[in-house]
């Protein structure tokens, strides 16, 4: 079990590291991290308990295998010839936020069934999710079962330029399908949401190397100059929020290449360009010799389906770098909170820092972009 982190302790630690008594951005980070379900520790359910719950609520039996994830308890269930994905939310996450994710998936299944989005399995009572009384923590936990989608993760493949364009096209179609979707908690606080990026400077307290800190400060400065003044006018809607190579399944034999879209855990209302920034950020620096190439292929495919105003594209390039930096900073912060995972987490953040450095070493792409 991971040790819990008191939000007030995080606030105090950030303020102390920044040499300040009270820092409103530090308090904001603590609040967002808490609502994002990233602070409290979690006691794990026994596999036998999960199997009992699945039989009682879904009539499912089989073999259970745990899958490591950031916060949900996640399992693969094999029941005869069928395979399912099972998720149990943490007890510090409001069930209404989980219901936002569920509602988004149900909306897509109803309105655009042709999109390869992961499908929910209903309980014996006909519900898309089941509430579990928490042994500890402020909220009920939420049990959900989904069809396990076949395919290979994009992260495991060397995609061609044309295939990356198809990935971008799939993201654009998903975004268009969600334009009219809404939910009472769509404006949730989410640590990964780039509309809050300019308030994340206190996380620099966890960056000790001068060169990395200078690189990060430069990205914050560019974001403040280019993106922040536009935040109120950028096209916004509910988006997937984590369209990364680890949440996209592919099949080279499909004409549209993308065979599955999974993990709606970061669904949120935010500027549309930030949804594209996520995938671009994951591809920045993949080829150190041409660090922008892969990301621009995805962008090209996206813009062929959903053109965006030039004033928004001007904010896209720096927001892609900001998203990659945000991941590095959050990983560094979590390494300080979870000393037993410090080496593992810092090994992942090193790759992000290396990619940021490779990207910063070459001129950023200039407008106009030509799909």
């Amino acid at each position: 079990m991971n040790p819990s982190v008191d939000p007030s302790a995080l606030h105090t630690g950030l303020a102390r590291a920044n040499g300040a008594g009270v820092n409103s951005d530090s308090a904001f980070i603590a609040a967002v991290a808490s609502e994002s379900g990233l602070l409290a520790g979690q006691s794990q359910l026994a596999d036998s308990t999960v199997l009992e719950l699945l039989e009682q609520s879904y009539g499912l039996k089989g073999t259970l295998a745990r899958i490591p994830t950031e916060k949900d308890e996640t399992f693969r269930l094999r029941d005869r010839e069928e395979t399912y994905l099972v998720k149990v939310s943490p007890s510090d996450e409001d069930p209404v936020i989980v219901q936002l994710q569920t509602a988004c998936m149900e909306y897509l299944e109803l309105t655009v069934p042709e999109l390869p989005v992961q499908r929910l399995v209903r309980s014996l009572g006909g519900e898309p999710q089941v509430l579990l009384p928490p042994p500890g923590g402020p909220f009920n936990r939420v049990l959900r079962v989904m069809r396990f989608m076949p395919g290979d993760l994009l992260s495991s493949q060397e995609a061609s330029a044309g295939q990356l364009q198809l990935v971008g096209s799939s993201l654009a179609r998903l975004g268009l399908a969600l334009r009219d979707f809404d939910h009472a908690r769509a404006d949730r606080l989410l640590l990964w949401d780039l509309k809050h990026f300019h308030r994340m400077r206190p996380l620099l307290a966890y960056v000790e190397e001068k060169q990395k800190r200078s690189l990060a400060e430069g990205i914050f400065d560019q974001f403040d100059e280019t993106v922040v003044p536009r935040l109120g006018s950028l096209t916004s809607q509910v988006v997937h929020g984590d369209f990364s190579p680890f949440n996209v399944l592919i099949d080279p034999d499909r004409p549209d290449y993308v065979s599955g879209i999974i993990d709606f855990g970061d669904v949120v209302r935010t500027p549309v360009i930030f949804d594209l920034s996520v995938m671009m950020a994951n591809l920045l620096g993949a080829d150190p010799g041409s660090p922008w190439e892969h990301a621009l292929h995805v962008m090209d495919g996206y813009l062929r389906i959903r053109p965006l105003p030039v004033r928004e594209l001007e904010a896209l390039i720096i927001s892609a770098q900001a998203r990659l930096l945000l991941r590095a900073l959050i990983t560094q912060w979590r390494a300080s909170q979870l000393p037993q995972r410090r080496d593992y987490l810092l090994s992942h953040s090193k790759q992000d820092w290396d990619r940021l450095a490779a990207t910063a070493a070459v001129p950023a792409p200039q407008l106009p972009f030509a799909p």
Side-chain angles (χ1 to χ4, degrees):
M1 180 178 72
N2 293 335
S4 61
V5 181
D6 183 352
S8 63
L10 172 61
H11 176 204
T12 302
L14 286 166
R16 185 181 300 114
N18 282 286
V22 176
N23 184 319
S24 61
D25 285 346
S26 297
F28 178 76
I29 292 172
V32 176
S34 180
E35 185 157 324
S36 301
L38 293 177
L39 289 186
Q42 196 62 254
S43 57
Q44 291 186 343
L45 293 173
D47 289 7
S48 58
T49 301
V50 177
L51 285 169
E52 183 178 350
L53 291 167
L54 289 170
E55 183 173 3
Q56 289 176 350
S57 299
Y58 289 88
L60 296 174
K61 299 180 181 181
T63 304
L64 204 63
R66 191 176 291 268
I67 301 173
T69 53
E70 183 177 51
K71 59 180 181 177
D72 292 323
E73 286 196 72
T74 306
F75 308 84
R76 179 189 288 111
L77 175 71
R78 299 189 187 277
D79 183 4
R80 301 182 183 89
E81 301 301 319
E82 294 290 335
T83 304
Y84 303 92
L85 188 73
V86 178
K87 282 183 170 287
V88 182
S89 67
S91 59
D92 65 323
E93 184 170 46
D94 190 337
V96 181
I97 290 180
V98 181
Q99 203 278 327
L100 159 66
Q101 304 161 24
T102 299
C104 182
M105 296 172 68
E106 289 190 303
Y107 177 86
L108 291 169
E109 182 175 3
L110 179 65
T111 59
V112 281
E114 67 276 11
L115 281 182
V117 173
Q118 197 160 38
R119 303 302 186 203
L120 289 155
V121 177
R122 291 189 171 268
S123 69
L124 294 175
E127 299 299 324
Q129 58 186 41
V130 175
L131 295 180
L132 309 176
F139 298 114
N140 290 324
R141 304 185 72 178
V142 181
L143 169 66
R144 292 180 297 168
V145 178
M146 301 159 221
R147 301 284 178 186
F148 202 94
M149 300 192 75
D152 295 319
L153 288 175
L154 176 62
S155 61
S156 68
Q157 305 297 310
E158 290 288 339
S160 67
Q163 289 169 334
L164 289 173
Q165 289 168 358
L166 290 171
V167 170
S169 297
S170 292
L171 175 58
R173 291 190 181 94
L174 177 61
L176 289 171
L178 287 172
R179 279 183 302 181
D180 296 327
F181 174 75
D182 202 3
H183 189 275
R185 292 303 300 272
D187 293 302
R188 60 186 288 205
L189 290 176
L190 182 68
L191 194 61
W192 298 103
D193 186 355
L194 281 177
K195 70 173 177 278
H196 307 309
F197 176 76
H198 58 295
R199 303 194 64 179
M200 297 294 151
R201 278 189 190 256
L203 291 178
L204 290 173
Y206 297 96
V207 181
E208 298 177 356
E209 296 179 36
K210 184 177 180 180
Q211 187 173 9
K212 290 179 180 177
R213 192 181 181 102
S214 177
L215 173 60
E217 288 175 338
I219 292 173
F220 273 111
D221 290 345
Q222 292 178 63
F223 192 91
D224 287 348
E225 178 182 350
T226 305
V227 182
V228 173
R230 293 177 165 89
L231 279 177
S233 62
L234 294 173
T235 303
S236 296
Q237 65 168 73
V238 176
V239 301
H240 180 276
D242 195 14
F243 202 85
S244 78
F246 297 94
N247 291 329
V248 175
L249 299 170
I250 58 92
D251 179 355
D253 294 329
R254 284 178 62 112
D256 53 359
Y257 190 56
V258 174
S259 63
I261 300 168
I262 62 176
D263 196 347
F264 283 72
D266 287 350
V267 167
V268 68
R269 187 184 351 263
T270 198
V272 169
I273 61 166
F274 295 159
D275 203 27
L276 178 54
S277 297
V278 172
M279 177 58 81
M280 292 181 65
N282 277 277
L283 297 172
L284 287 179
D287 177 2
S290 185
W292 280 99
E293 183 177 357
H294 291 73
L296 293 179
H297 289 323
V298 168
M299 186 194 71
D300 287 348
Y302 185 100
L303 296 178
R304 289 175 181 176
I305 301 299
R306 188 176 190 179
L308 296 173
V310 170
R311 63 181 175 81
E312 300 201 13
L313 292 176
E314 290 173 343
L316 177 63
I317 292 301
I318 186 59
S319 68
Q321 295 173 80
R323 171 65 189 218
L324 183 56
L325 172 59
L326 181 61
R327 189 171 70 188
L329 292 175
I330 290 174
T331 303
Q332 297 255 170
W333 160 63
R334 287 178 67 78
S336 74
Q337 307 298 317
L338 305 170
Q340 73 276 25
R341 299 187 65 202
R342 176 180 172 83
D343 292 344
Y344 170 80
L345 289 167
L346 291 183
S347 69
H348 281 260
S349 71
K350 181 183 184 305
Q351 182 182 66
D352 290 339
W353 287 111
D354 289 345
R355 290 188 171 195
L356 279 168
T359 304
V362 301
Q366 299 296 311
L367 290 172
F369 301 117

